[in-house]
Amino acid sequence: GQQLNQSPQSMFIQEGEDVSMNCTSSSIFNTWLWYKQDPGEGPVLLIALYKAGELTSNGRLTAQFGITRKDSFLNISASIPSDVGIYFCAGPSGGYQKVTFGTGTKLQVIP
Amino acid sequence: EAGVAQSPRYKIIEKRQSVAFWCNPISGHATLYWYQQILGQGPKLLIQFQNNGVVDDSQLPKDRFSAERLKGVDSTLKIQPAKLEDSAVYLCASSLGRGGSNEQFFGPGTRLTVL
């Protein structure tokens, strides 16, 4: 089946720094979704991308749909402590309204 | 607008016991999903409903897991009997189920510990 690999697997950064993470797929996607999961909660959708090359922002978050349609990137600018959590990419995996989630990037922000 | 509700939030059982989880999706959402999330991994789809019909249950271990959504609204997921490897967070999600959007909204999950 489709696999989504995220890197890095985890990262520690200083508050105020910018963060970059990426997601690669073994097959072409026509949609990319980025979710954040806080400890003890379910994932929350951050950004949805629907077109190759698309760059979309949501506050301090910016995500890009890779030109090859096999990758996507998420950047967080000026990180703050509440950015802590696990960030998942997701994409359609065949079938109606079905998505596959990536392996996740765990972010820790040091105040 | 109320989000996806799940209960219980936590459950501890011994292996070979039975357990059931409940989910109430966002009002008007036709599609409902149950995911299993093992510690350190992304959510893995167990079963997907469209209204009260099953769309995909290919990854559901049917010898011990069952799920139903009888009236097309809330849903229950059951494990009988539980094994140690079933320890995970069970997430319920819902989506509108119309158009091309795959945007799913998740509940807080039920954390299951099997001893």
Side-chain angles (χ1 to χ4, degrees):
Chain A
Q2 291 173 328
Q3 287 190 334
L4 294 178
N5 294 309
Q6 291 185 243
S7 66
Q9 190 173 15
S10 64
M11 53 197 315
F12 285 82
I13 61 167
Q14 205 73 34
E15 182 177 358
E17 288 184 344
D18 296 344
V19 175
S20 185
M21 61 189 78
N22 75 295
C23 181
T24 58
S25 167
S26 57
S27 55
I28 290 174
F29 279 0
N30 55 25
T31 301
W32 283 98
L33 306 169
W34 283 95
Y35 283 84
K36 182 195 176 197
Q37 187 172 27
D38 289 329
E41 299 295 331
V44 174
L45 183 66
L46 298 173
I47 293 178
L49 302 161
Y50 299 106
K51 187 177 175 183
E54 180 181 355
L55 190 70
T56 297
S57 293
N58 179 5
R60 294 178 296 105
L61 278 60
T62 301
Q64 183 163 22
F65 193 139
I67 293 292
T68 65
R69 296 169 63 193
K70 287 189 173 183
D71 56 8
S72 179
F73 306 89
L74 178 68
N75 297 307
I76 305 172
S77 61
S79 59
I80 59 178
S82 60
D83 291 333
V84 165
I86 304 176
Y87 292 80
F88 290 101
C89 62
S93 55
Y96 180 67
Q97 300 268 326
K98 183 178 171 184
V99 299
T100 295
F101 282 82
T103 49
T105 292
K106 186 174 183 178
L107 177 64
Q108 306 266 41
V109 178
I110 303 166
Chain B
E1 178 183 271
V4 177
Q6 289 188 247
S7 68
R9 290 295 309 271
Y10 305 92
K11 190 73 178 179
I12 300 174
I13 62 173
E14 294 187 347
K15 60 183 179 183
R16 290 189 289 273
Q17 284 187 324
S18 301
V19 65
F21 314 127
W22 174 83
C23 171
N24 188 254
I26 292 172
S27 178
H29 280 197
T31 308
L32 185 148
Y33 312 78
W34 282 103
Y35 289 86
Q36 180 192 60
Q37 185 176 25
I38 292 172
L39 187 65
Q41 298 181 18
K44 184 188 86 172
L45 181 68
L46 292 174
I47 188 167
Q48 176 185 349
F49 292 93
Q50 180 72 11
N51 297 308
N52 61 348
V54 175
V55 174
D56 187 336
D57 62 357
S58 57
Q59 302 223 70
L60 188 74
K62 298 180 188 62
D63 57 334
R64 297 183 302 106
F65 286 65
S66 64
E68 59 184 13
R69 194 185 183 200
L70 292 176
K71 296 182 180 178
V73 180
D74 54 356
S75 174
T76 55
L77 175 70
K78 296 179 182 177
I79 308 176
Q80 180 181 14
K83 293 185 175 181
L84 295 176
E85 59 262 35
D86 298 333
S87 293
V89 175
Y90 290 85
L91 294 163
C92 178
S94 68
S95 67
L96 278 171
R98 293 190 291 272
S101 172
N102 285 331
E103 296 183 29
Q104 300 178 23
F105 298 85
F106 284 81
T110 297
R111 181 175 296 277
L112 173 67
T113 302
V114 182
L115 303 175

